[in-house]
Structure formats: C-alpha cells, structure tokens
C-alpha cells in the first residue's frame, strides 16, 4: 500500500512570498491532517479534514494560512504571505475512519525555509 | 497550554542496555497514548500505543507503561540497538481523534 505522498520536499522562499504544499493521503483514508513541526518542537495540528469537510482548524493562522480538500482526497496547504516564523516542516497525515487507536500515518513532510 | 510534555530533550544509552523515555500529560480525557519514532528527513512512524484502560502494552523490545493516577507514561526499549537512535514523540488522542504531541526526546544509542 502506498504511503502518504507530499510535495515539494523542500522549499526556500523570501518573507512575504507565497507557497503551497500538496498532500495525497493513503487510498481510502477519509481523515486528513496538516501538522506544523518547528525545529525542536513536537508537531502541532493546523487543520483536520473529514472527507472534504473541516473538523478542526482552531490553530490555523487564518490570516495567512489556508487549506482545502475539495474532492475529499488530496489536499493543499497554502501560506500567503509567509513570515520568518513559518519556517518549519509541514507534515500531512491520514487515517482510516474505522481506526480507533488514534494512529496516524505520516508523509515525509515538506520543509519550508523562509528567508 | 502544553497538554503532553516530554521533559528530557535528549537521552544517551549504551547499546544493549535499557532505554526509558518518559512523558507526562494533563488532560484526563485522553483515551489513547502513542509513541512515534522519527528519523531525520522522514515523517514520524508509529511505534506502539496503549489504551487508557490498560497499564501495559508490549511489542517485542518495546513496552509502554501507563500510570493514570500520575498522568504519566513511559516507553522502555530493551535491549537498545544502534538503529533505535532517533527522536521519540509521545502523543495522546481524545475523542476528536487528533493527536497532541510532546516536544520529543532525542535518543542516542552508543556502541
């Protein structure tokens, strides 16, 4: 079974520029998450989708971050305009609906550097 | 509000000995606790979990212990191997089925 796919793996931009990250979850996984991991910290949830609906976006900085999952499969996370403090690894994760242990399957992440 | 805490940023253990990683939490509504392992430039991978109704779960060299009264869990790795060198994240899950992570502990296994 193919894992969670993310692209790009690395991105370097200047502050105030925009960037977009793409995620394709494991086939059949209805729930998709975007996490932000700043160096030296644990992953922090940005947004959770159930199919194409948002379950939780309480920690998403909505003035600059947006995310969508239009067809309930792949998802895009956008940052516009980027700030220096957005430098982090953006992790996409998915899980099947039937799972009840809390286990998430993570992609390799997209590392963003804002200069 | 840090709901899941790993107070040791790093741990160094001799190969063959036991590694013990600790985690504390504050939210008594968490119903599952998980440990993830992360190598550089890779995403976190699931290692082992425990339900809040249990106090121990074992999988090969890995054992997780849960002390609900102390709101504390620990991961034991025995014997430790060089390939165990990684960052370990403790995570907790509640009804919304999202994971709340600790800050991570970098484990180094010395030959």
């Amino acid at each position: 079974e193919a894992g969670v796919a993310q692209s790009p793996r690395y991105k370097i931009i200047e502050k105030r520029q925009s960037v977009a990250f793409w995620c394709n979850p494991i086939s059949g996984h209805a729930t998709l998450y975007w996490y932000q991991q700043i160096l030296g910290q644990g992953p922090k949830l940005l947004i959770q989708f159930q199919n194409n609906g948002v379950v939780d976006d309480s920690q998403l900085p909505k003035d600059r971050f947006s995310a969508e999952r239009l067809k309930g499969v792949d998802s895009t996370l956008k940052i516009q305009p980027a700030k220096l403090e957005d430098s982090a690894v953006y992790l996409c994760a998915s899980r099947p609906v039937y799972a009840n242990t809390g286990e998430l399957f993570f992609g390799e992440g997209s590392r963003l550097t804002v200069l | 509000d840090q709901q899941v805490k790993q107070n040791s940023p790093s741990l160094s253990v001799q190969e063959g000995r036991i590694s013990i990683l600790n985690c504390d939490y504050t939210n008594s509504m968490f119903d599952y606790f998980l440990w993830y392992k992360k190598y550089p430039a890779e995403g976190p991978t699931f290692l082992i979990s425990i339900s809040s109704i249990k106090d121990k779960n074992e999988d090969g060299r890995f054992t997780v212990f849960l002390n609900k009264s102390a709101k504390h869990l620990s991961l034991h790795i025995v014997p430790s191997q060089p390939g165990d060198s990684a960052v370990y994240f403790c995570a907790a899950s509640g009804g919304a089925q999202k994971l709340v992570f600790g800050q991570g502990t970098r484990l180094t296994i010395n030959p």
Side-chain angles (χ1 to χ4, degrees), chain A residues 31-48:
Chain A
T31 310
L32 184 148
Y33 308 79
W34 284 101
Y35 279 82
Q36 178 193 57
Q37 187 184 4
I38 294 172
L39 187 64
Q41 300 180 18
K44 183 185 84 171
L45 179 69
L46 292 176
I47 189 167
Q48 175 185 350

Side-chain angles (χ1 to χ4, degrees), chain A residues 9 33 35 37 41-43 45 48 56 95 100-104 106-108, chain B residues 32 34 36 38 41-44 46 49 89 93 96-99 101-103:
Chain A
R9 288 295 310 278
Y33 308 79
Y35 279 82
Q37 187 184 4
Q41 300 180 18
L45 179 69
Q48 175 185 350
D56 184 352
R95 68 186 296 276
N100 60 2
T101 62
E103 180 185 351
L104 305 186
F106 283 87
E108 293 184 313
Chain B
Y32 270 95
L34 303 88
Y36 275 79
K38 187 179 184 303
E42 295 184 11
F46 171 75
S49 66
F89 289 101
S93 173
Q97 298 177 337
K98 62 183 180 184
L99 290 184
F101 285 85
Q103 307 94 308

